[in-house]
């Protein structure tokens, strides 16, 4: 690590974001310049966050920019400007929904970033009243603010906070949120002391599990993935089609009332009780505290339980309980003086992306994994995080050497959110998927329309266990007794590396197989003679299974049992199947181009061909008996190999059609010319295959000779 990076890791997340020597120098010499720079930066990120639901920096980093600006404006009051981001609540009024003016402003909250700052606020309250007054502690729900207006007990309007003065009308959308009462419960009505409207306020949020389900589905379908549950809630609420909102599983917690004189309650605590009675979803985790210690305890417990809650919280809100005392303390330009948000330490940290490795899954799927300089995030060390697939790496534009933002929220899996581009080393290159499997060196492929790359080599050790177990499974070769444990031992001892090795095992050797355990006497447990003998019998019996079992057992991607049966029916031997073109394969019932491609590639990957050949050599049947017809008997072209090139203009046949006819006469048809080729059939405009035939001295037939051959079965 360089000295600069070293220094970076000793900084907190927000400080790292701001780490910029030039900027720091500018602040010292020219505060006006830095103020302007900060305003621009905040405006940019406010837009990304509120208007696009796609933040690029952590909330913590954002808050920190804001604090720096506020601090500078405080030190240099001459720089304060009404258009500064500090002079409004933050947010952005979108254009797709009607604007709603809030009769009572929707304030933001001042933050306490640690217990010390919380104590400073508590001390201010005590100073104000000359004593500690009761306060209510609530969880700070990490969602989106919402204001619900009820007229004569019926929901008439729902609005977002917007900039605090003007929000957006999201009534249609909010009506779809199941825990929002469309009518107040009768028991709530007596609490309303003023005729007309009552406006309640709170938070709309997305539970963690719904957020994960939503993102998983989006990932599969290539849709938009949200950065966190808060953005998912805000994005879901601002849907033009409310049916989409309805499917998003949003919830609410209500905790405030716009005009406190509208109901009978005189304290925050009583108001929360009233909200519950009136039918609103209120959070049960609240505490009315009369000492500083009680407040601390609530904050500590909330922090500890944070990961277990089914929704995200990002702090604790402490509010002076009495409405009269709240009114006495009043408001600043942006927030009440009578409340404070104690913010939890960030769940996001920055660290160095030391490398990107590729993990090979058991089915050959390749997953890029971020190898991080270990960092403690939300209480646990994070050293690795999945990057899902190549597109995701490019979408996030993370590169080895980048300083990246890592997020871990409670029980949510650690995630790399993205890089801090300003800290990117000059030589950092965009990452590429390796062309060869890191486990076995076979070529890596990516099928059209698929997000994942795959290694399709049968010999890939990372996939070996699964393939071996699958081959022996009941639906495949049905080798009873060959389960995960024995397969694991055979792999570990190196005795078996692929399915063809099963057929070299003998009973004596198997009976001595060390099962990796010891018995009561402390001696290693062996498989034993009886089990070994049975197993070998079962292995031998599997040699006679029908072709479809072999095709299913060998584990070609997309080839399940039914598909294997269809392929075996159309091409009753592995050889025929291997000689079939992609087009011919695609014609088989239910196959189509995608599966045809996968089968063709599998059967033409050298490592796979080699295993199939060894299986055959060891006596596994690679063909079904084709029922003998009238013309059964040796076929005229048996043992001969043909290659077709050029177009057959005279007959108008396609090469596949001609090939099929040659095969019907017992010939083998392959795609490339070698010394083993018996004849090359050259039609019009024959290309390199014709040249190669001449070079190797392989006899060439023209179309007329081919037609004669097909008709008579006689070679010229
Ligand atoms: P911030 O957005 O960080 O300025 O925090 C203020 C926001 O916290 C409010 O606008 C509310 O949307 C939200 N919030 C979440 N839970 C609560 C709560 N229990 N009491 C008050 N505000 C809350």
């Amino acid at each position: 690590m360089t000295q600069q990076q070293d220094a970076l890791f000793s900084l907190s997340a927000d400080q790292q974001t701001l780490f910029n020597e030039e900027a720091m120098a500018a602040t010292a010499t020219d505060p006006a310049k830095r103020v302007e720079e900060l305003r621009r930066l905040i405006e940019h990120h406010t837009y990304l966050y509120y208007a696009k639901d796609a933040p690029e920096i952590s909330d913590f980093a954002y808050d920190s920019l804001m604090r720096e600006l506020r601090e500078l404006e405080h030190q240099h009051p001459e720089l304060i400007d009404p258009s500064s981001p500090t002079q409004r609540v933050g947010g952005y009024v979108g254009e797709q929904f009607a604007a709603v003016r809030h009769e009572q402003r929707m304030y933001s909250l001042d933050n306490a970033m640690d217990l010390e700052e919380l104590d400073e606020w508590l001390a201010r309250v005590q100073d104000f009243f000359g004593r500690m007054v009761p306060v209510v502690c609530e969880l700070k729900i990490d969602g989106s603010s919402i204001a619900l207006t009820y007229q004569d007990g019926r929901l008439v309007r729902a609005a977002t906070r917007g900039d605090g003065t003007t929000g957006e009308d999201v009534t249609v959308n909010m009506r779809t949120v199941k825990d929002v009462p469309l009518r107040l419960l009768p028991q709530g009505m007596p609490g309303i002391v003023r005729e007309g409207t009552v406006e309640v306020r709170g938070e709309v949020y997305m539970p963690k599990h719904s957020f994960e389900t939503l993102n998983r589905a989006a990932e599969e379908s290539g849709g938009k993935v949200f950065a966190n549950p808060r953005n998912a809630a805000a994005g879901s609420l601002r849907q033009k089609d409310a049916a989409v909102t309805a499917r998003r599983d949003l919830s609410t917690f209500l905790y405030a009332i716009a005009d406190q004189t509208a109901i009978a309650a005189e304290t925050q605590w009583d108001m929360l009780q009233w909200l519950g009675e009136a039918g609103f979803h209120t959070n049960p985790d609240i505490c009315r505290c009369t000492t500083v210690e009680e407040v601390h305890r609530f904050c500590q417990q909330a922090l500890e339980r944070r990961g277990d809650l089914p929704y995200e919280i990002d702090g604790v809100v402490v509010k002076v309980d009495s409405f009269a005392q709240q009114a006495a303390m009043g408001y600043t330009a942006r927030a009440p003086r009578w409340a404070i948000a104690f913010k939890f330490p960030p769940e996001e940290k920055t660290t160095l992306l030391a490398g990107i490795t590729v993990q090979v899954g058991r089915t050959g799927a390749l997953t890029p994994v971020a190898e991080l300089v270990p960092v403690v995030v939300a209480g646990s060390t994070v050293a690795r995080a999945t990057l899902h697939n190549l597109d995701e790496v490019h979408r996030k534009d993370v590169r080895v050497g980048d300083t990246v933002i890592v997020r871990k929220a409670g029980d949510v899996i650690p995630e790399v959110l993205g890089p801090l581009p300003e800290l990117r080393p000059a030589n950092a290159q965009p990452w590429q998927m390796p062309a060869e499997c890191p486990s076995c060196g076979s070529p890596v492929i990516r099928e059209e329309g698929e997000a994942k790359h795959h290694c399709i080599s049968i010999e890939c050790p990372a996939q070996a266990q699964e393939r071996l177990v699958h081959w022996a499974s009941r639906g495949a070769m049905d080798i009873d007794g060959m389960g995960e444990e024995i397969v694991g031992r055979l792999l570990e001892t190196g005795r078996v590396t692929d399915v063809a090795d099963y057929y070299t095992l003998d009973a004596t050797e198997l009976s001595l197989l060390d099962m990796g355990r010891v018995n009561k006497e402390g001696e290693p447990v062996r498989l034993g003679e009886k089990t070994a003998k049975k197993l070998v019998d079962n292995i031998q019996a599997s040699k006679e299974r029908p072709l479809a079992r072999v095709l299913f057992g060998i584990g070609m991607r997309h080839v399940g049992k039914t598909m294997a049966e269809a392929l075996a029916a159309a091409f009753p031997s592995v050889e025929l199947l291997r000689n079939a073109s992609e087009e011919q394969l695609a014609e088989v019932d239910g196959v189509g181009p995608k599966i045809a491609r996968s089968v063709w590639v599998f059967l033409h990957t050298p490592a796979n061909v080699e295993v199939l050949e060894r299986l055959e050599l060891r006596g596994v049947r690679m063909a079904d008996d084709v029922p003998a017809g009238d013309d059964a008997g040796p076929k005229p072209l048996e043992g001969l190999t043909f290659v077709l090139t050029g177009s057959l203009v005279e007959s108008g046949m396609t090469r596949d059609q001609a090939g099929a006819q040659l095969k019907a006469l017992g010939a083998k048809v392959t795609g490339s010319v070698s010394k083993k080729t018996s004849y090359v059939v050259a039609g019009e405009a024959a290309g390199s295959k014709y040249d190669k035939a001449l070079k190797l001295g392989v006899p060439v037939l023209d179309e007329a000779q081919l037609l004669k051959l097909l008709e008579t079965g006689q070679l010229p």
Side-chain angles (χ1 to χ4, degrees):
M1 227 190 294
T2 64
Q3 235 179 357
Q4 190 184 3
Q5 282 164 344
D6 211 13
L8 265 178
F9 286 107
S10 63
L11 296 175
S12 66
D14 54 333
Q15 286 169 312
Q16 286 172 37
T17 316
L18 304 175
F19 187 84
N20 180 329
E21 280 169 350
E22 273 173 39
M24 285 178 180
T27 310
T29 55
D30 190 354
K33 200 170 156 210
R34 179 66 177 159
V35 162
E36 184 52 23
E37 206 179 341
L38 283 167
R39 284 178 187 161
R40 288 259 176 254
L41 208 57
I42 292 167
E43 277 160 9
H44 173 68
H45 289 295
T46 304
Y47 171 77
L48 288 178
Y49 187 97
Y50 285 99
K52 294 275 182 209
D53 294 328
E56 283 180 359
I57 60 171
S58 73
D59 292 3
F60 207 77
Y62 181 91
D63 285 349
S64 161
L65 290 171
M66 205 59 163
R67 293 180 131 232
E68 190 188 343
L69 178 59
R70 221 175 278 131
E71 188 61 33
L72 273 175
E73 288 179 347
H74 183 71
Q75 286 166 11
H76 303 275
E78 76 281 5
L79 296 176
I80 294 179
D81 182 309
S83 66
S84 171
T86 58
Q87 304 302 302
R88 60 171 184 160
V89 180
Y92 183 87
V93 179
E95 282 165 5
Q96 68 189 118
F97 295 96
V100 171
R101 248 194 106 71
H102 298 298
E103 273 181 39
Q104 280 87 16
R105 186 166 168 179
M106 285 183 87
Y107 284 92
S108 183
L109 289 171
D110 280 336
N111 293 329
M113 304 309 267
D114 49 38
L115 280 182
E116 214 174 295
E117 291 189 7
L118 175 65
D119 288 349
E120 282 169 21
W121 179 80
L122 287 165
R124 279 206 295 282
V125 173
Q126 289 186 43
D127 282 352
F128 191 89
F129 295 107
R131 64 193 157 94
M132 177 68 186
V133 296
V135 292
V136 175
C137 293
E138 298 170 17
L139 299 179
K140 187 167 186 297
I141 314 300
D142 202 6
S144 200
S145 314
I146 193 79
L148 305 173
T149 307
Y150 288 79
Q151 191 144 31
D152 303 324
R154 286 170 195 273
L155 176 68
V156 290
R157 200 176 67 191
T160 64
R161 183 171 76 181
D163 65 3
T165 309
T166 311
E168 291 173 314
D169 189 327
V170 288
T171 313
V172 182
N173 306 66
M174 276 310 286
R175 286 180 77 92
T176 70
V177 176
K178 294 188 191 67
D179 63 4
V180 169
L182 298 179
R183 281 202 303 182
L184 298 184
L185 296 180
Q187 41 289 33
M189 296 309 283
I192 301 175
V193 291
R194 262 214 341 246
E195 289 287 303
T197 64
V198 53
E199 183 183 318
V200 297
R201 293 172 174 181
E203 204 79 355
V204 53
Y205 69 93
M206 184 176 283
K208 287 177 191 168
H209 71 92
S210 314
F211 165 70
E212 280 161 36
T213 312
L214 178 69
N215 264 4
R216 217 175 299 127
E219 217 170 79
E220 273 162 27
S221 66
K224 178 177 174 171
V225 174
F226 288 102
N228 53 48
R230 169 165 19 140
N231 291 105
S236 301
L237 191 60
R238 295 168 75 248
Q239 289 290 322
K240 276 186 174 167
D241 178 3
V244 177
T245 312
R247 286 197 295 271
R248 291 284 173 85
D249 189 27
L250 296 175
S251 290
T252 58
F253 283 126
L254 281 304
Y255 47 69
I257 189 144
D259 177 2
Q260 292 164 340
T261 62
I263 62 162
E266 285 176 7
T267 62
Q268 173 73 11
W269 186 261
D270 288 347
M271 187 259 297
L272 288 172
Q273 310 308 313
W274 175 79
L275 284 171
E277 282 164 24
F280 294 102
H281 194 182
T282 54
N283 194 293
D285 267 319
I286 49 173
C287 177
R288 192 167 178 272
C289 305
T290 49
T291 66
V292 170
E293 292 69 37
E294 281 172 348
V295 175
H296 283 191
R297 204 177 310 132
F298 185 88
C299 292
Q300 189 54 40
Q301 283 169 355
L303 189 54
E304 282 163 15
R305 294 187 36 245
R306 173 189 206 183
D308 300 329
L309 293 171
Y311 47 85
E312 293 270 7
I313 58 171
D314 63 339
V316 167
V317 186
V318 188
K319 302 170 182 174
V320 168
D321 188 28
S322 148
F323 287 164
Q325 286 171 348
Q326 287 182 5
M329 287 191 82
Y331 295 80
T332 67
R334 69 181 286 276
R337 289 200 179 87
W338 48 264
I340 191 89
F342 167 66
K343 289 266 197 156
F344 288 155
E347 290 185 315
E348 291 172 8
K349 285 271 181 74
T350 55
T351 188
L352 196 71
L353 179 64
I356 298 179
T357 53
V358 173
Q359 216 167 44
V360 187
R362 293 216 232 147
T363 54
L366 303 184
T367 304
V369 178
E371 303 290 345
L372 305 160
V373 170
V375 61
V376 177
V377 191
S380 67
T381 303
V382 175
R384 308 185 84 205
T386 175
L387 290 167
H388 305 287
N389 55 55
L390 181 67
D391 288 350
E392 191 69 2
V393 177
H394 288 171
R395 191 182 67 75
K396 289 183 171 160
D397 189 24
V398 283
R399 304 179 184 189
V400 175
D402 269 346
T403 299
V404 292
I405 302 170
V406 180
R407 169 194 164 84
K408 188 168 174 291
D411 49 2
V412 177
I413 310 151
E415 186 194 0
V416 174
L417 289 183
L420 296 175
E422 47 290 39
L423 298 181
R424 169 167 291 164
N427 59 353
Q429 295 299 318
W431 187 77
Q432 288 306 335
M433 185 63 84
E436 287 165 0
C437 169
S439 173
C440 70
S442 291
V444 160
I445 62 147
R446 181 187 188 174
E447 284 177 17
E448 225 178 280
E450 288 210 357
K452 289 264 188 196
H453 286 71
H454 280 86
C455 164
I456 53 149
S457 166
I458 202 168
E459 287 191 327
C460 180
Q463 304 167 49
Q465 166 108 4
E466 165 122 333
R467 285 190 180 278
L468 284 161
V469 172
H470 175 70
W471 176 267
S473 68
R474 192 169 298 167
M477 301 302 269
D478 196 11
I479 306 175
D480 197 22
M482 191 64 85
E484 282 201 16
E485 194 187 0
I486 296 179
V487 169
R489 294 308 301 157
L490 288 169
L491 262 176
E492 263 170 51
T493 55
R495 183 55 190 83
V496 162
T497 52
D498 60 53
V499 295
D501 292 337
Y502 279 147
Y503 299 91
T504 63
L505 292 169
D506 72 48
T508 320
E509 163 188 34
L510 261 184
S511 68
L512 297 173
L513 183 71
D514 183 343
M515 296 305 287
R517 301 179 250 129
V518 285
N519 62 17
K520 274 189 234 141
E521 285 76 43
E523 293 156 352
V525 174
R526 312 237 171 234
L527 188 62
E529 268 174 46
K530 236 169 102 186
T531 319
K533 163 108 190 24
K534 252 203 200 140
L535 201 50
V536 169
D537 287 348
N538 294 342
I539 292 171
Q540 292 305 318
S542 77
K543 287 179 175 176
E544 292 302 315
R545 304 272 181 256
L547 179 65
R549 300 286 199 109
V550 175
L551 300 180
F552 174 54
I554 203 78
M556 293 186 267
R557 293 190 62 220
H558 309 303
V559 178
K561 254 168 132 176
T562 319
M563 189 61 61
E565 276 159 17
L567 286 170
F571 301 94
S573 74
V574 168
E575 192 176 350
L576 285 174
L577 200 59
R578 199 183 303 143
N579 289 337
S581 65
E582 269 182 66
E583 293 76 19
Q584 287 170 321
L585 290 169
E587 277 165 25
V588 175
D589 222 18
V591 173
K594 185 174 165 185
I595 300 175
R597 171 101 204 117
S598 158
V599 171
W600 193 92
V601 170
F602 184 95
L603 292 173
H604 291 83
T605 299
N608 301 344
V609 174
E610 199 261 331
V611 172
L612 286 165
E613 281 173 357
R614 270 191 293 127
L615 280 169
E616 189 165 20
L617 205 71
R618 289 167 190 167
V620 177
R621 255 184 30 173
M622 291 286 146
D624 282 340
D625 291 330
V626 183
D630 293 343
D631 57 352
K635 293 181 176 173
L637 302 183
E638 202 113 343
L640 297 177
T641 307
F642 285 73
V643 174
L644 294 150
T645 175
S647 27
L648 307 170
V649 283
E650 201 175 307
S651 62
M653 269 194 298
T654 64
R655 286 208 296 264
D656 285 343
Q657 286 164 339
Q661 290 198 35
L662 284 167
K663 282 183 204 161
L665 294 173
K668 206 165 136 180
V669 178
T670 67
S672 59
V673 182
S674 74
K675 272 191 270 180
K676 287 186 191 156
T677 311
S678 317
Y679 291 93
V680 167
V681 177
E684 284 255 322
S688 60
K689 289 178 194 168
Y690 175 74
D691 299 338
K692 195 158 178 202
L694 294 185
K695 207 167 129 202
L696 296 176
V698 174
V700 177
L701 304 180
D702 60 20
E703 188 176 354
Q705 286 170 310
L706 170 75
L707 293 174
K708 190 150 177 245
L709 169 66
L710 292 177
E711 204 179 302
T712 62
Q714 301 280 308
L715 282 157

